[in-house]
Coordinates of all heavy atoms in Angstrom, one line a residue:
M382 N 16.1 2.8 -3.5 CA 15.6 4.0 -4.1 C 16.7 4.9 -4.6 O 17.8 5.0 -4.0 CB 14.9 4.8 -3.0 CG 13.7 4.2 -2.3 SD 12.2 4.9 -2.9 CE 11.2 3.5 -2.8
K383 N 16.5 5.5 -5.7 CA 17.5 6.3 -6.4 C 17.6 7.7 -5.6 O 16.6 8.3 -5.3 CB 17.1 6.6 -7.8 CG 18.1 7.4 -8.6 CD 17.6 7.6 -10.0 CE 18.6 8.4 -10.8 NZ 18.1 8.7 -12.1
K384 N 18.8 8.1 -5.4 CA 19.0 9.4 -4.7 C 19.1 10.5 -5.7 O 19.7 10.4 -6.7 CB 20.2 9.3 -3.8 CG 20.0 8.4 -2.6 CD 21.0 8.7 -1.5 CE 20.6 7.9 -0.3 NZ 21.1 8.5 0.9
N385 N 18.6 11.7 -5.3 CA 18.7 12.8 -6.1 C 18.9 14.0 -5.2 O 18.1 14.4 -4.4 CB 17.3 13.0 -6.9 CG 17.4 14.2 -7.9 OD1 18.4 14.8 -8.0 ND2 16.3 14.4 -8.5
N386 N 20.1 14.6 -5.4 CA 20.5 15.7 -4.5 C 20.5 15.4 -3.0 O 20.0 16.2 -2.2 CB 19.7 17.0 -4.8 CG 19.9 17.5 -6.2 OD1 21.0 17.4 -6.8 ND2 18.9 18.2 -6.8
G387 N 20.8 14.2 -2.7 CA 20.8 13.8 -1.3 C 19.5 13.4 -0.8 O 19.4 13.0 0.4
L388 N 18.4 13.5 -1.6 CA 17.1 13.0 -1.1 C 16.7 11.8 -1.9 O 17.0 11.7 -3.1 CB 16.0 14.1 -1.4 CG 16.2 15.4 -0.6 CD1 15.2 16.4 -1.1 CD2 16.0 15.2 0.9
R389 N 16.0 10.9 -1.3 CA 15.4 9.8 -2.0 C 14.3 10.3 -3.0 O 13.6 11.3 -2.7 CB 14.8 8.8 -1.1 CG 15.9 8.1 -0.3 CD 15.3 7.1 0.6 NE 16.4 6.5 1.4 CZ 16.3 5.4 2.1 NH1 15.2 4.7 2.1 NH2 17.3 4.9 2.8
S390 N 14.1 9.6 -4.0 CA 13.2 10.1 -5.1 C 11.8 10.3 -4.5 O 11.1 11.2 -4.9 CB 13.2 9.3 -6.3 OG 12.8 7.9 -6.0
N391 N 11.3 9.3 -3.7 CA 9.9 9.5 -3.2 C 9.8 10.7 -2.2 O 8.7 11.3 -2.2 CB 9.4 8.2 -2.6 CG 10.2 7.8 -1.4 OD1 11.3 8.3 -1.1 ND2 9.7 6.8 -0.6
K392 N 10.8 11.0 -1.5 CA 10.7 12.1 -0.6 C 10.8 13.4 -1.4 O 10.1 14.4 -1.1 CB 11.9 12.1 0.4 CG 11.7 11.1 1.5 CD 12.8 11.2 2.5 CE 12.6 10.2 3.6 NZ 13.6 10.2 4.6
G393 N 11.5 13.4 -2.5 CA 11.6 14.6 -3.4 C 10.2 14.8 -4.0 O 9.8 15.9 -4.1
Q394 N 9.5 13.7 -4.4 CA 8.2 13.9 -4.9 C 7.2 14.4 -3.8 O 6.4 15.2 -4.1 CB 7.7 12.5 -5.4 CG 8.4 12.1 -6.7 CD 8.0 10.7 -7.1 OE1 7.2 10.0 -6.4 NE2 8.5 10.3 -8.3
A395 N 7.4 14.0 -2.6 CA 6.5 14.5 -1.5 C 6.8 15.9 -1.3 O 5.8 16.7 -1.1 CB 6.8 13.7 -0.3
L396 N 8.0 16.4 -1.3 CA 8.4 17.8 -1.2 C 7.8 18.6 -2.3 O 7.2 19.7 -2.1 CB 9.9 18.0 -1.1 CG 10.5 17.5 0.2 CD1 12.1 17.6 0.1 CD2 10.0 18.2 1.4
D397 N 7.9 18.1 -3.5 CA 7.3 18.8 -4.7 C 5.8 18.9 -4.5 O 5.2 20.0 -4.8 CB 7.6 18.0 -6.0 CG 9.1 18.1 -6.4 OD1 9.8 19.0 -5.8 OD2 9.5 17.3 -7.2
S398 N 5.1 17.8 -4.1 CA 3.7 17.8 -3.9 C 3.3 18.8 -2.9 O 2.3 19.6 -3.0 CB 3.2 16.5 -3.6 OG 3.4 15.6 -4.6
T399 N 4.1 18.9 -1.8 CA 3.8 19.8 -0.7 C 3.9 21.3 -1.2 O 3.1 22.1 -0.9 CB 4.7 19.6 0.5 OG1 4.5 18.2 0.9 CG2 4.5 20.5 1.6
M400 N 4.9 21.5 -1.9 CA 5.2 22.9 -2.5 C 4.0 23.3 -3.4 O 3.5 24.4 -3.4 CB 6.5 23.0 -3.2 CG 7.7 22.9 -2.3 SD 7.7 24.1 -0.9 CE 8.1 25.6 -1.9
V401 N 3.6 22.4 -4.3 CA 2.5 22.7 -5.2 C 1.2 22.9 -4.4 O 0.5 23.8 -4.7 CB 2.3 21.5 -6.2 CG1 1.1 21.6 -7.0 CG2 3.5 21.4 -7.1
A402 N 1.0 22.1 -3.4 CA -0.2 22.3 -2.6 C -0.2 23.6 -1.9 O -1.3 24.3 -1.8 CB -0.4 21.2 -1.6
M403 N 0.9 24.0 -1.4 CA 1.0 25.3 -0.7 C 0.8 26.5 -1.7 O 0.1 27.5 -1.4 CB 2.4 25.5 0.0 CG 2.5 24.5 1.2 SD 4.2 24.5 1.9 CE 4.5 26.2 2.3
E404 N 1.3 26.3 -2.9 CA 1.1 27.4 -3.9 C -0.4 27.4 -4.3 O -0.9 28.5 -4.4 CB 1.9 27.1 -5.2 CG 3.4 27.3 -4.9 CD 4.3 26.8 -6.1 OE1 3.7 26.4 -7.2 OE2 5.5 26.8 -6.0
R405 N -1.0 26.3 -4.4 CA -2.4 26.3 -4.8 C -3.3 26.9 -3.7 O -4.3 27.6 -3.9 CB -2.9 24.9 -5.1 CG -2.2 24.4 -6.4 CD -2.5 22.9 -6.7 NE -3.9 22.7 -7.1 CZ -4.4 21.5 -7.4 NH1 -3.6 20.5 -7.3 NH2 -5.7 21.4 -7.7
M406 N -2.9 26.6 -2.4 CA -3.6 27.2 -1.3 C -3.4 28.7 -1.3 O -4.4 29.5 -1.1 CB -3.2 26.6 0.0 CG -3.9 27.2 1.2 SD -3.4 26.3 2.7 CE -4.4 27.2 3.9
E407 N -2.2 29.2 -1.6 CA -2.0 30.6 -1.6 C -2.8 31.3 -2.7 O -3.4 32.3 -2.5 CB -0.5 30.8 -1.9 CG -0.1 32.3 -1.7 CD -0.3 32.8 -0.3 OE1 -0.2 32.1 0.7 OE2 -0.6 34.0 -0.2
L408 N -2.9 30.7 -3.9 CA -3.7 31.2 -5.0 C -5.2 31.2 -4.6 O -5.9 32.2 -4.9 CB -3.5 30.4 -6.3 CG -2.1 30.5 -6.9 CD1 -2.0 29.5 -8.1 CD2 -2.0 32.0 -7.4
Y409 N -5.7 30.2 -3.9 CA -7.0 30.1 -3.5 C -7.3 31.3 -2.5 O -8.3 32.0 -2.6 CB -7.4 28.8 -2.8 CG -8.8 28.7 -2.3 CD1 -9.8 28.2 -3.2 CD2 -9.1 29.1 -1.0 CE1 -11.1 28.1 -2.7 CE2 -10.4 29.0 -0.6 CZ -11.4 28.5 -1.4 OH -12.7 28.5 -1.0
C410 N -6.4 31.5 -1.6 CA -6.6 32.5 -0.5 C -6.5 33.9 -1.1 O -7.3 34.8 -0.7 CB -5.6 32.3 0.6 SG -5.8 30.8 1.6
K411 N -5.7 34.1 -2.2 CA -5.7 35.4 -2.8 C -6.9 35.6 -3.6 O -7.4 36.8 -3.7 CB -4.5 35.5 -3.8 CG -3.2 35.7 -3.0 CD -2.0 35.8 -4.0 CE -0.7 36.0 -3.2 NZ 0.4 36.2 -4.1
A412 N -7.5 34.6 -4.2 CA -8.8 34.7 -4.9 C -10.0 34.9 -4.0 O -11.0 35.4 -4.4 CB -8.9 33.5 -5.9
H413 N -9.9 34.4 -2.8 CA -11.0 34.5 -1.8 C -10.4 35.1 -0.5 O -10.4 34.4 0.5 CB -11.5 33.1 -1.6 CG -11.9 32.4 -2.8 ND1 -11.1 31.6 -3.5 CD2 -13.1 32.4 -3.4 CE1 -11.8 31.1 -4.6 NE2 -13.0 31.6 -4.6
P414 N -10.1 36.4 -0.5 CA -9.4 36.9 0.7 C -10.2 37.0 1.9 O -9.7 37.0 3.0 CB -9.0 38.3 0.2 CG -9.9 38.6 -0.9 CD -10.2 37.3 -1.6
G415 N -11.5 37.0 1.8 CA -12.4 37.1 3.0 C -12.9 35.7 3.5 O -13.7 35.6 4.4
S416 N -12.3 34.7 2.9 CA -12.8 33.3 3.2 C -12.2 32.9 4.5 O -11.1 33.3 5.0 CB -12.4 32.3 2.1 OG -11.0 32.1 2.1
P417 N -12.8 31.9 5.2 CA -12.2 31.3 6.4 C -10.9 30.7 6.1 O -10.0 30.8 7.0 CB -13.2 30.2 6.8 CG -14.6 30.8 6.3 CD -14.2 31.4 5.0
S418 N -10.7 30.1 4.9 CA -9.4 29.5 4.6 C -8.3 30.6 4.6 O -7.2 30.3 5.1 CB -9.4 28.8 3.2 OG -10.3 27.7 3.3
A419 N -8.6 31.7 4.0 CA -7.6 32.8 4.0 C -7.3 33.4 5.3 O -6.2 33.7 5.7 CB -8.1 33.9 3.0
A420 N -8.3 33.4 6.2 CA -8.1 34.0 7.5 C -7.5 33.0 8.5 O -6.6 33.4 9.3 CB -9.5 34.4 8.1
R421 N -7.9 31.7 8.4 CA -7.4 30.8 9.4 C -6.3 29.9 8.9 O -5.6 29.2 9.7 CB -8.6 29.9 9.8 CG -9.8 30.7 10.4 CD -9.4 31.5 11.6 NE -8.8 30.7 12.7 CZ -9.3 30.6 13.9 NH1 -10.3 31.2 14.2 NH2 -8.7 29.8 14.7
R422 N -6.1 29.7 7.6 CA -5.0 28.9 7.0 C -4.9 27.5 7.6 O -4.0 27.2 8.4 CB -3.6 29.6 7.2 CG -3.5 31.0 6.6 CD -3.6 30.8 5.1 NE -3.6 32.2 4.5 CZ -2.9 32.5 3.4 NH1 -2.1 31.6 2.8 NH2 -3.0 33.7 2.9
P423 N -5.9 26.7 7.3 CA -5.9 25.3 7.8 C -4.7 24.5 7.3 O -4.1 24.9 6.3 CB -7.2 24.7 7.3 CG -7.5 25.5 6.0 CD -7.0 26.9 6.3
Q424 N -4.4 23.5 8.0 CA -3.3 22.5 7.5 C -3.9 21.7 6.4 O -5.1 21.4 6.3 CB -2.9 21.6 8.6 CG -2.3 22.3 9.8 CD -2.0 21.3 10.9 OE1 -1.9 20.1 10.7 NE2 -1.9 21.8 12.2
L425 N -3.0 21.4 5.4 CA -3.4 20.5 4.3 C -2.7 19.2 4.4 O -1.5 19.1 4.7 CB -3.0 21.2 3.0 CG -3.8 22.3 2.5 CD1 -3.2 22.9 1.2 CD2 -5.3 21.9 2.2
F426 N -3.5 18.1 4.2 CA -3.0 16.7 4.2 C -3.5 16.0 2.9 O -4.6 16.4 2.4 CB -3.5 15.9 5.4 CG -3.1 16.6 6.7 CD1 -4.0 17.4 7.4 CD2 -1.9 16.3 7.3 CE1 -3.7 17.9 8.6 CE2 -1.6 16.8 8.5 CZ -2.5 17.7 9.2
F427 N -2.7 15.1 2.5 CA -3.2 14.2 1.3 C -3.3 12.8 1.8 O -2.2 12.2 2.2 CB -2.2 14.4 0.2 CG -2.7 13.7 -1.1 CD1 -3.8 14.2 -1.8 CD2 -2.1 12.5 -1.5 CE1 -4.2 13.6 -3.0 CE2 -2.6 11.9 -2.7 CZ -3.6 12.4 -3.4
R428 N -4.5 12.2 1.9 CA -4.7 10.9 2.3 C -5.7 10.2 1.4 O -6.7 10.7 1.1 CB -5.2 10.8 3.8 CG -4.4 11.5 4.8 CD -3.2 10.6 5.2 NE -2.4 11.2 6.3 CZ -1.4 12.0 6.2 NH1 -1.0 12.4 5.0 NH2 -0.8 12.4 7.2
S429 N -5.3 9.0 1.0 CA -6.2 8.1 0.2 C -6.8 8.9 -0.9 O -8.0 8.8 -1.2 CB -7.3 7.6 1.1 OG -6.8 6.8 2.2
H430 N -6.0 9.5 -1.7 CA -6.4 10.2 -2.9 C -7.3 11.4 -2.7 O -8.0 11.9 -3.6 CB -7.0 9.3 -3.9 CG -6.1 8.1 -4.3 ND1 -5.0 8.2 -5.0 CD2 -6.2 6.8 -3.9 CE1 -4.4 7.0 -5.1 NE2 -5.2 6.2 -4.4
L431 N -7.3 11.9 -1.4 CA -8.1 13.1 -1.1 C -7.3 14.1 -0.3 O -6.4 13.8 0.4 CB -9.3 12.7 -0.2 CG -10.4 11.8 -0.9 CD1 -11.4 11.3 0.1 CD2 -11.1 12.6 -2.0
W432 N -7.6 15.4 -0.6 CA -7.0 16.5 0.2 C -7.9 16.8 1.4 O -9.1 16.8 1.3 CB -6.9 17.7 -0.7 CG -5.8 17.6 -1.7 CD1 -5.9 17.2 -3.0 CD2 -4.4 17.8 -1.4 NE1 -4.6 17.2 -3.6 CE2 -3.7 17.5 -2.6 CE3 -3.6 18.1 -0.3 CZ2 -2.3 17.6 -2.7 CZ3 -2.3 18.2 -0.4 CH2 -1.6 17.9 -1.6
I433 N -7.2 17.1 2.5 CA -7.9 17.4 3.7 C -7.4 18.7 4.2 O -6.2 18.9 4.4 CB -7.7 16.3 4.8 CG1 -8.2 14.9 4.3 CG2 -8.4 16.6 6.1 CD1 -7.7 13.8 5.1
A434 N -8.3 19.7 4.5 CA -8.0 20.9 5.1 C -8.5 20.9 6.5 O -9.7 20.6 6.7 CB -8.7 22.1 4.3
L435 N -7.6 21.0 7.5 CA -8.0 20.8 8.9 C -7.5 22.0 9.8 O -6.4 22.4 9.7 CB -7.3 19.5 9.4 CG -7.4 19.2 10.9 CD1 -8.9 19.0 11.3 CD2 -6.6 18.0 11.3
L436 N -8.5 22.4 10.6 CA -8.2 23.4 11.6 C -8.5 22.8 12.9 O -9.7 22.5 13.2 CB -9.0 24.7 11.4 CG -8.7 25.8 12.4 CD1 -7.3 26.4 12.3 CD2 -9.7 26.9 12.2
G437 N -7.6 22.5 13.8 CA -7.8 21.9 15.0 C -6.9 20.7 15.3 O -6.1 20.3 14.4
P438 N -7.1 20.0 16.4 CA -6.2 18.9 16.8 C -6.4 17.6 16.0 O -5.5 16.8 15.8 CB -6.5 18.7 18.2 CG -7.9 19.2 18.4 CD -8.1 20.3 17.5
S439 N -7.7 17.4 15.5 CA -8.0 16.2 14.8 C -9.2 16.4 13.9 O -9.9 17.4 14.1 CB -8.2 15.0 15.7 OG -9.4 15.2 16.5
V440 N -9.5 15.4 13.0 CA -10.6 15.5 12.2 C -11.9 15.4 13.1 O -12.9 16.1 12.8 CB -10.6 14.3 11.2 CG1 -11.9 14.2 10.4 CG2 -9.5 14.5 10.2
E441 N -11.9 14.7 14.1 CA -13.0 14.5 15.0 C -13.3 15.8 15.8 O -14.4 16.1 16.1 CB -12.8 13.3 16.0 CG -12.8 12.0 15.3 CD -11.4 11.7 14.7 OE1 -10.4 12.3 15.0 OE2 -11.4 10.7 13.9
K442 N -12.3 16.5 16.2 CA -12.4 17.7 17.1 C -12.3 19.0 16.4 O -12.5 20.0 17.0 CB -11.4 17.6 18.2 CG -11.7 16.4 19.1 CD -10.7 16.4 20.3 CE -10.9 15.2 21.2 NZ -10.0 15.2 22.3
G443 N -11.9 19.0 15.1 CA -11.6 20.3 14.4 C -12.7 20.5 13.3 O -13.7 19.9 13.3
I444 N -12.3 21.5 12.5 CA -13.1 21.9 11.4 C -12.4 21.3 10.2 O -11.2 21.6 10.0 CB -13.3 23.4 11.2 CG1 -14.0 23.9 12.5 CG2 -14.1 23.7 10.0 CD1 -14.0 25.4 12.6
V445 N -13.1 20.6 9.3 CA -12.4 19.8 8.3 C -13.2 20.0 6.9 O -14.4 20.2 6.9 CB -12.3 18.3 8.6 CG1 -13.7 17.7 8.7 CG2 -11.4 17.6 7.7
G446 N -12.4 20.1 5.9 CA -12.9 20.1 4.5 C -12.2 19.0 3.7 O -10.9 18.9 3.8
I447 N -12.9 18.2 2.9 CA -12.3 17.1 2.2 C -12.7 17.3 0.7 O -13.8 17.5 0.4 CB -12.7 15.8 2.7 CG1 -12.3 15.6 4.2 CG2 -12.2 14.6 1.9 CD1 -12.9 14.4 4.9
G448 N -11.7 17.1 -0.2 CA -12.0 17.2 -1.6 C -10.9 16.5 -2.4 O -9.8 16.2 -1.9
Q449 N -11.2 16.3 -3.7 CA -10.3 15.7 -4.6 C -9.2 16.6 -5.0 O -8.2 16.1 -5.6 CB -11.0 15.1 -5.8 CG -12.0 14.0 -5.4 CD -12.6 13.4 -6.7 OE1 -12.8 14.0 -7.7 NE2 -13.0 12.1 -6.5
T450 N -9.3 17.9 -4.8 CA -8.3 18.9 -5.1 C -8.1 19.8 -3.9 O -8.9 19.8 -3.0 CB -8.7 19.8 -6.3 OG1 -9.8 20.6 -6.0 CG2 -9.0 18.9 -7.6
V451 N -7.0 20.5 -3.9 CA -6.7 21.4 -2.8 C -7.9 22.4 -2.7 O -8.4 22.7 -1.7 CB -5.4 22.1 -3.0 CG1 -5.2 23.3 -2.0 CG2 -4.2 21.2 -2.9
E452 N -8.3 23.0 -3.9 CA -9.3 24.0 -3.9 C -10.7 23.4 -3.4 O -11.4 24.1 -2.7 CB -9.5 24.5 -5.4 CG -8.3 25.2 -5.9 CD -7.2 24.3 -6.4 OE1 -7.3 23.1 -6.5 OE2 -6.1 24.9 -6.8
A453 N -11.0 22.2 -3.8 CA -12.2 21.6 -3.3 C -12.2 21.4 -1.8 O -13.2 21.6 -1.1 CB -12.5 20.2 -4.0
A454 N -11.1 21.0 -1.3 CA -10.9 20.8 0.2 C -11.1 22.1 0.9 O -11.7 22.2 1.9 CB -9.6 20.1 0.5
L455 N -10.5 23.2 0.3 CA -10.6 24.5 0.9 C -12.0 25.1 0.8 O -12.5 25.7 1.8 CB -9.6 25.5 0.3 CG -8.2 25.1 0.6 CD1 -7.2 26.0 -0.3 CD2 -7.8 25.2 2.1
R456 N -12.7 24.8 -0.3 CA -14.1 25.2 -0.4 C -15.0 24.5 0.6 O -15.9 25.1 1.3 CB -14.7 24.9 -1.8 CG -14.3 26.0 -2.8 CD -15.1 25.8 -4.1 NE -14.9 24.5 -4.7 CZ -14.0 24.2 -5.6 NH1 -13.1 25.1 -5.9 NH2 -13.9 23.0 -6.1
A457 N -14.7 23.2 0.8 CA -15.5 22.4 1.8 C -15.2 22.9 3.2 O -16.1 23.0 4.1 CB -15.1 20.9 1.7
F458 N -13.9 23.2 3.5 CA -13.5 23.8 4.8 C -14.3 25.1 5.0 O -14.8 25.3 6.1 CB -12.0 24.0 4.8 CG -11.6 24.8 6.1 CD1 -11.3 24.1 7.2 CD2 -11.4 26.1 6.0 CE1 -11.0 24.8 8.4 CE2 -11.1 26.8 7.2 CZ -10.8 26.1 8.4
D459 N -14.3 26.0 4.0 CA -15.0 27.2 4.2 C -16.5 27.0 4.5 O -17.0 27.7 5.4 CB -14.9 28.1 2.9 CG -13.5 28.6 2.7 OD1 -12.7 28.6 3.6 OD2 -13.2 29.1 1.5
A460 N -17.1 26.1 3.8 CA -18.5 25.8 4.1 C -18.8 25.3 5.5 O -19.7 25.7 6.2 CB -19.0 24.8 3.0
Q461 N -17.9 24.4 5.9 CA -18.0 23.8 7.3 C -17.8 24.9 8.4 O -18.5 24.9 9.4 CB -17.1 22.7 7.5 CG -17.4 21.4 6.7 CD -18.8 20.9 7.2 OE1 -19.1 20.8 8.4 NE2 -19.6 20.6 6.2
Y462 N -16.8 25.7 8.1 CA -16.5 26.8 9.1 C -17.7 27.7 9.2 O -18.1 28.1 10.3 CB -15.3 27.6 8.6 CG -14.7 28.5 9.6 CD1 -13.6 28.2 10.4 CD2 -15.2 29.8 9.7 CE1 -13.1 29.1 11.3 CE2 -14.7 30.7 10.6 CZ -13.7 30.4 11.4 OH -13.2 31.3 12.3
L463 N -18.2 28.2 8.1 CA -19.4 29.1 8.1 C -20.6 28.4 8.6 O -21.4 29.1 9.3 CB -19.6 29.6 6.7 CG -18.5 30.5 6.1 CD1 -18.7 30.9 4.7 CD2 -18.3 31.8 7.0
A464 N -20.8 27.2 8.4 CA -22.0 26.4 8.9 C -21.9 26.4 10.5 O -23.0 26.5 11.1 CB -22.0 25.0 8.4
G465 N -20.8 26.4 11.0 CA -20.6 26.4 12.5 C -20.9 27.7 13.1 O -21.2 27.8 14.3
L466 N -20.9 28.8 12.3 CA -21.1 30.1 12.8 C -22.6 30.5 12.7 O -23.0 31.4 13.4 CB -20.3 31.2 12.0 CG -18.8 31.1 12.1 CD1 -18.2 32.1 11.2 CD2 -18.4 31.2 13.5
R467 N -23.4 29.8 11.9 CA -24.8 30.1 11.8 C -25.6 29.7 13.0 O -25.4 28.6 13.5 CB -25.4 29.4 10.5 CG -24.8 30.0 9.2 CD -25.5 29.4 8.0 NE -24.7 29.8 6.8 CZ -24.1 28.9 6.1 NH1 -24.1 27.6 6.3 NH2 -23.4 29.3 5.0
P468 N -26.6 30.5 13.4 CA -27.5 30.1 14.5 C -28.4 29.0 14.0 O -28.6 28.9 12.8 CB -28.2 31.4 14.8 CG -28.1 32.2 13.6 CD -26.9 31.9 12.9
P469 N -29.0 28.3 14.9 CA -30.0 27.3 14.5 C -31.1 27.9 13.7 O -31.4 29.1 13.8 CB -30.5 26.7 15.8 CG -29.6 27.1 16.8 CD -28.9 28.4 16.3
A470 N -31.8 27.2 12.9 CA -32.9 27.7 12.0 C -34.0 28.2 12.9 O -34.2 27.8 14.1 CB -33.5 26.5 11.2
H471 N -34.7 29.2 12.5 CA -35.7 29.9 13.3 C -36.8 29.0 13.8 O -37.2 29.1 14.9 CB -36.3 31.1 12.4 CG -37.4 31.8 13.2 ND1 -37.1 32.7 14.2 CD2 -38.7 31.9 13.1 CE1 -38.2 33.2 14.7 NE2 -39.2 32.7 14.0
G472 N -37.2 28.1 12.9 CA -38.3 27.1 13.3 C -37.8 26.3 14.5 O -38.6 26.0 15.4
L473 N -36.6 25.9 14.5 CA -36.1 25.1 15.7 C -36.1 25.9 16.9 O -36.5 25.4 18.0 CB -34.7 24.5 15.4 CG -34.6 23.5 14.2 CD1 -33.2 23.2 14.0 CD2 -35.4 22.3 14.6
R474 N -35.7 27.1 16.9 CA -35.6 28.0 18.1 C -37.0 28.2 18.6 O -37.3 28.2 19.8 CB -34.9 29.3 17.8 CG -33.4 29.1 17.7 CD -32.8 30.4 17.5 NE -33.0 30.9 16.1 CZ -33.0 32.2 15.8 NH1 -32.7 33.1 16.6 NH2 -33.3 32.5 14.5
R475 N -38.0 28.5 17.6 CA -39.3 28.8 18.1 C -39.9 27.6 18.8 O -40.6 27.7 19.8 CB -40.2 29.2 16.8 CG -41.5 29.7 17.3 CD -42.4 30.1 16.1 NE -42.9 28.9 15.5 CZ -43.0 28.6 14.2 NH1 -42.5 29.5 13.4 NH2 -43.4 27.5 13.8
G476 N -39.7 26.4 18.2 CA -40.2 25.2 18.8 C -39.7 25.0 20.2 O -40.4 24.6 21.1
L477 N -38.4 25.3 20.4 CA -37.8 25.2 21.7 C -38.5 26.2 22.7 O -38.9 25.8 23.8 CB -36.3 25.4 21.7 CG -35.6 25.4 23.0 CD1 -35.6 24.0 23.6 CD2 -34.1 25.8 22.8
Y478 N -38.7 27.4 22.3 CA -39.3 28.4 23.2 C -40.7 28.1 23.4 O -41.2 28.2 24.5 CB -39.1 29.8 22.6 CG -37.7 30.2 22.5 CD1 -37.2 30.8 21.3 CD2 -36.8 30.1 23.5 CE1 -35.9 31.2 21.2 CE2 -35.5 30.5 23.4 CZ -35.1 31.1 22.3 OH -33.8 31.5 22.2
D479 N -41.4 27.6 22.4 CA -42.8 27.3 22.6 C -43.0 26.1 23.6 O -43.9 26.2 24.4 CB -43.5 26.8 21.3 CG -43.7 28.0 20.3 OD1 -43.6 29.1 20.8 OD2 -43.9 27.7 19.1
S480 N -42.1 25.1 23.6 CA -42.2 24.0 24.5 C -41.9 24.5 25.9 O -42.5 24.0 26.9 CB -41.3 22.9 24.1 OG -39.9 23.3 24.2
R481 N -41.1 25.5 26.1 CA -40.8 26.0 27.4 C -42.1 26.8 28.0 O -42.4 26.7 29.1 CB -39.6 27.0 27.4 CG -38.3 26.2 27.3 CD -37.2 27.2 27.4 NE -35.9 26.5 27.2 CZ -34.8 27.1 27.0 NH1 -34.7 28.4 27.0 NH2 -33.7 26.4 26.9
L482 N -42.7 27.5 27.0 CA -43.9 28.3 27.5 C -45.0 27.3 27.8 O -45.7 27.5 28.8 CB -44.4 29.2 26.3 CG -43.4 30.4 26.0 CD1 -43.9 31.1 24.8 CD2 -43.4 31.3 27.2
N483 N -45.2 26.2 27.1 CA -46.2 25.3 27.3 C -45.9 24.5 28.6 O -46.9 24.1 29.3 CB -46.4 24.3 26.2 CG -46.9 25.0 24.9 OD1 -47.5 26.0 25.0 ND2 -46.5 24.4 23.8
A484 N -44.7 24.3 29.0 CA -44.4 23.6 30.2 C -44.6 24.4 31.5 O -44.8 23.8 32.5 CB -42.9 23.1 30.2
A485 N -44.7 25.7 31.3 CA -44.8 26.6 32.5 C -46.2 26.6 33.0 O -47.2 26.3 32.5 CB -44.3 28.0 32.2

């Protein structure tokens, strides 16, 4: 691999990509200051041509957003975060309470 300023070229590209992703996240957060992404600042990863915004120890245990761009991943993260805050639909709660009343 060709060296450039003491770094291998592929590492330099990775550093450039990371800096660009951080800048894009910063712009997204400035444009959406009240969003979960702006408040929680999830980690960003690039895997298999997709961006992943993750808050938590893993994809399985955390809140995750996946998209083809940094912005798409952050929008998906915001949607997942907010979906986790919403209470169950009214119909589901009523059915649960009705079944308890009928069981008594």
Side-chain angles (χ1 to χ4, degrees):
M382 301 252 149
K383 184 178 178 183
K384 291 198 174 207
N385 185 1
N386 293 332
L388 295 174
R389 292 182 182 196
S390 61
N391 63 346
K392 287 186 180 180
Q394 289 174 355
L396 290 175
D397 290 343
S398 297
T399 301
M400 293 301 291
V401 169
M403 290 172 60
E404 289 173 7
R405 291 173 70 182
M406 181 175 181
E407 190 62 33
L408 290 172
Y409 180 89
C410 292
K411 284 183 181 180
H413 305 90
S416 70
S418 292
R421 301 303 301 241
R422 300 293 174 138
Q424 296 177 20
L425 284 176
F426 302 96
F427 188 70
R428 299 284 187 270
S429 300
H430 305 287
L431 293 172
W432 285 100
I433 301 167
L435 173 66
L436 179 66
S439 68
V440 172
E441 294 81 15
K442 294 182 180 180
I444 300 169
V445 66
I447 300 173
Q449 292 184 336
T450 65
V451 170
E452 296 81 5
L455 293 172
R456 280 192 302 273
F458 172 85
D459 290 345
Q461 289 298 313
Y462 189 97
L463 293 172
L466 296 178
R467 291 188 191 114
H471 180 69
L473 293 175
R474 285 184 288 157
R475 190 181 76 223
L477 178 65
Y478 295 133
D479 289 346
S480 65
R481 286 183 183 171
L482 291 174
N483 293 334

